[in-house]
Amino acid sequence: MAEVQQSSGGDGKKGHQKKMTIRVDFTPMVDMNMLLITFFMLCTTMIKSQTLTIALPTNEKVQNEENMSQASADDAITIIIDAKKKPGPTPGTLVVDSVNGNVVNEIYYYDGKPGGDTGMFGPGGVVLSANNNLKKSELLSDEVNSVGDHKARGIREIIQARNKAVLEKINALKKQLEEGKFGSLETKADREAAMAKYNEEASKVRKDENVKKPVIIIKSTPEASYRGLVDILDEMQINSISKYQIDNITDVDLVMLDDYRKHQK
Amino acid sequence: MGRVKIARKSTFIDMTAMSDVTVLLLTFFMLTSTFLSKEPATVITPASVSTEKVQETNVLQVLVSPKGQVWLTMNNDTSAQWSNAKMRVAMLDEVTQLYNAQHKNKISFTPAQKATFSKLGAFGVPLSQMGEFLSLADEPEGLTKMDQWLAGEDNNPKHISGIPIAKENNEDNLNEFQLWIKAARQAGNDNLSQAMKDGAGVAIKADQNTSFDIIHMVMDNLQTVRQNKFTLLTALKAGGE
């Protein structure tokens, strides 16, 4: 390929013109290209970051108490993210994953009000451990059995149980999408149109006021890592939760966490 | 005695095909990748199932180090009216105005300093030191010195890296981080203002092991300047749902 054979064109009788072979050596070219490729591989990134959009309420003090949207105790679930700490004489040192060096987070949750209807504190500010309704959970991915069915575990199972009404409708919509009720899924354009229709319907279901759905309050202790927060926000998306908020941790929450740990040992 | 004749073979290897392949590879890499931008702190963003892609233009990115330092990066339109350089100068002018309205020690920047600022990548030093920081560019090896300052490796305890930010904040006395956010919104670039209003215009990039305390501080600061919607930069989770 790199050689060009030059023949003299004539019938070869006139004089003896030599057949010339022009050869271009491409080795330096390949060397240079390899260097360039190496440069591009090291100095560039192909991964585009994904984003997670969140909206928080304003910091302004709400003047009118009536305007505040109060979650009813029946619907509320509070999830608390805390960093796992080393037990023993030096409390406060965080447990670090031995494999990837990440801070290990723990997930706790309680339904309704802290301490149930009677509250966490007895007369004189005594902590009533019997009223502590804090429970521990875990962040786990779905368990997939041999048939390929997904089974939620950990905190996801708890959220899904509370959000059953919405999830059932969403799953019905998903089935309709697969059956082609939102339009054919043959070409890319068709598929996108069908997905748009499906997303519209799904967001209607998520926002439907008549369907019973939980309100999730996400709290995190100062030591817990950012990853824990993103993981929980992910769970909201996975489980089609439309009402959730990130809130400041309160003293009662910290008392409950403390009390829970004391009685675990 | 007949001798076995060993045919002399040329050792020339034809590299044309190889060259073709490498050029193709090179083209692929050049077209699909984007350059890594130089950042004062290396962070690994947490994984998420969200598949929303990050906006490429009109984004103000807040880089948060695990220690709680904050830097800003901007990606603007490619349009001539609000190019990166022009937007930066407008933003610096705006923040100077906001700062001077609040502080007794007035600051101002020379055209040369503004020109340096318009070419910066990630930026973030206290405004009182900004003049000194920008003047470094005129010195020999100035750019290296600037990078060292931002990375906290210049062995000068007076040099602070990161935009001043505080936990306690209120609307009457904004800290510098909040001034910058406000300046970006008010600098006159309607596209950026709109993007910030929608929430896609502000992106927080933080390491997955940053404590919630620090993230909460940044979010709280944004809330005080009524930047209630924003995005968190994440990496795609392998396996997903």
Side-chain angles (χ1 to χ4, degrees):
Chain A
M1 264 194 269
E3 39 197 297
V4 178
Q5 294 219 329
Q6 244 183 16
S7 60
S8 50
D11 43 20
K13 275 182 186 170
K14 286 185 212 158
H16 281 282
Q17 262 206 331
K18 272 187 187 169
K19 268 191 183 177
M20 289 272 286
T21 312
I22 303 167
R23 229 173 211 184
V24 185
D25 190 3
F26 271 93
T27 325
M29 174 84 167
V30 171
D31 288 353
M32 187 200 67
N33 280 343
M34 282 296 183
L35 279 180
L36 275 174
I37 289 174
T38 321
F39 169 75
F40 271 95
M41 281 174 79
L42 293 180
C43 297
T44 61
T45 169
M46 308 241 280
I47 308 158
K48 260 187 82 186
S49 286
Q50 266 70 30
T51 59
L52 201 65
T53 312
I54 54 171
L56 298 173
T58 47
N59 260 4
E60 291 165 74
K61 299 279 169 288
V62 180
Q63 305 286 328
N64 200 342
E65 287 278 317
E66 284 169 21
N67 283 353
M68 281 174 77
S69 58
Q70 283 282 355
S72 74
D74 287 348
D75 295 335
I77 309 175
T78 307
I79 297 177
I80 300 177
I81 312 158
D82 191 16
K84 195 173 181 181
K85 295 189 192 83
K86 277 179 193 156
T90 51
T93 36
L94 306 179
V95 174
V96 172
D97 194 305
S98 56
V99 182
N100 51 22
N102 287 339
V103 174
V104 181
N105 288 315
E106 285 177 328
I107 310 290
Y108 297 90
Y109 73 97
Y110 63 82
D111 299 318
K113 289 179 189 159
D117 291 331
T118 37
M120 269 307 282
F121 300 105
V126 188
V127 177
L128 300 172
S129 298
N131 279 353
N132 195 347
N133 54 355
L134 194 72
K135 290 181 207 101
K136 196 177 172 185
S137 187
E138 269 174 298
L139 262 177
L140 292 169
S141 54
D142 285 355
E143 190 179 52
V144 184
N145 65 13
S146 52
V147 198
D149 287 333
H150 286 257
K151 190 185 174 301
R153 296 180 296 170
I155 193 78
R156 191 177 296 175
E157 189 184 357
I158 290 143
I159 297 171
Q160 284 190 356
R162 293 293 293 266
N163 202 27
K164 225 178 205 165
V166 173
L167 282 172
E168 267 168 13
K169 288 196 172 183
I170 296 267
N171 282 339
L173 283 176
K174 248 185 213 165
K175 214 170 188 184
Q176 284 181 15
L177 176 75
E178 277 160 22
E179 284 165 0
K181 293 236 170 88
F182 290 106
S184 100
L185 303 168
E186 292 294 314
T187 64
K188 201 185 169 200
D190 283 349
R191 211 160 40 229
E192 272 168 12
M195 277 306 282
K197 261 189 208 163
Y198 161 78
N199 284 335
E200 201 181 307
E201 287 295 316
S203 89
K204 254 189 222 162
V205 169
R206 280 189 209 111
K207 287 179 183 144
D208 192 352
E209 287 298 328
N210 299 321
V211 181
K212 190 175 164 54
K213 52 181 173 293
V215 176
I216 297 187
I217 300 151
I218 304 164
K219 293 178 178 180
S220 177
T221 59
E223 302 88 47
S225 77
Y226 173 49
R227 195 165 53 99
L229 178 72
V230 174
D231 281 343
I232 291 295
L233 289 174
D234 262 0
E235 291 300 317
M236 301 298 115
Q237 207 175 20
I238 292 169
N239 299 313
S240 302
I241 302 286
S242 56
K243 284 185 174 176
Y244 60 90
Q245 62 186 80
I246 302 169
D247 211 341
N248 297 341
I249 197 148
T250 59
D251 291 341
V252 187
D253 296 325
L254 292 173
V255 167
M256 283 170 79
L257 271 175
D258 230 30
D259 185 69
Y260 181 87
R261 289 219 184 84
K262 246 183 239 164
H263 290 85
Q264 278 302 295
K265 283 172 195 167
Chain B
M1 290 267 261
R3 274 200 175 184
V4 183
K5 267 193 183 171
I6 301 168
R8 272 201 200 165
K9 270 185 188 164
S10 154
T11 52
F12 189 87
I13 302 168
D14 190 7
M15 280 287 176
T16 328
M18 180 78 167
S19 166
D20 287 351
V21 173
T22 52
V23 168
L24 276 181
L25 267 176
L26 191 58
T27 320
F28 170 75
F29 274 103
M30 281 172 75
L31 292 181
T32 55
S33 58
T34 44
F35 273 93
L36 289 172
S37 53
K38 211 165 30 181
E39 285 176 339
T42 319
V43 298
I44 302 166
T45 51
S48 154
V49 292
S50 174
T51 50
E52 234 175 284
K53 286 270 183 287
V54 64
Q55 206 172 317
E56 266 175 41
T57 54
N58 293 318
V59 184
L60 191 67
Q61 189 178 306
V62 184
L63 179 70
V64 185
S65 86
K67 285 182 215 147
Q69 290 158 297
V70 173
W71 297 275
L72 287 174
T73 324
M74 264 202 308
N75 284 325
N76 266 296
D77 278 284
T78 40
S79 70
Q81 197 195 350
W82 289 115
S83 64
N84 256 330
K86 277 188 186 163
M87 180 61 205
R88 270 164 197 251
V89 174
M91 199 169 149
L92 188 66
D93 286 340
E94 188 69 33
V95 85
T96 311
Q97 229 173 32
L98 289 171
Y99 183 85
N100 286 344
Q102 239 182 45
H103 293 78
K104 276 183 197 156
N105 300 329
K106 310 284 182 218
I107 50 164
S108 60
F109 299 103
T110 62
Q113 285 173 333
K114 281 182 193 169
T116 310
F117 184 76
S118 70
K119 286 177 213 137
L120 284 183
F123 58 91
V125 296
L127 278 168
S128 54
Q129 295 182 356
M130 186 63 103
E132 191 193 335
F133 177 73
L134 294 176
S135 299
L136 272 181
D138 302 330
E139 290 177 23
E141 287 181 44
L143 291 176
T144 322
K145 280 183 192 162
M146 285 162 94
D147 283 341
Q148 279 173 345
W149 181 335
L150 282 183
E153 289 164 358
D154 66 346
N155 299 323
N156 188 339
K158 270 191 200 158
H159 288 172
I160 296 167
S161 177
I163 298 169
I165 184 169
K167 246 174 230 174
E168 287 79 30
N169 58 87
N170 61 58
E171 254 184 286
D172 306 319
N173 186 20
L174 298 177
N175 59 41
E176 285 185 26
F177 172 69
Q178 291 167 324
L179 291 181
W180 278 109
I181 298 288
K182 231 177 148 181
R185 222 166 27 191
Q186 294 174 0
N189 183 348
D190 292 335
N191 296 335
L192 181 65
S193 309
Q194 188 57 42
M196 285 174 86
K197 210 172 160 192
D198 296 339
V202 179
I204 297 181
K205 186 176 184 184
D207 192 85
Q208 52 180 351
N209 283 324
T210 313
S211 69
F212 179 73
D213 207 20
I214 287 160
I215 300 295
H216 190 242
M217 173 180 77
V218 176
M219 287 183 177
D220 200 44
N221 270 279
L222 286 171
Q223 275 176 288
T224 308
V225 282
R226 305 212 178 105
Q227 186 64 51
N228 296 316
K229 268 182 164 183
F230 43 83
T231 55
L232 307 175
L233 285 191
T234 55
L236 192 63
K237 192 175 251 173
E241 195 181 344

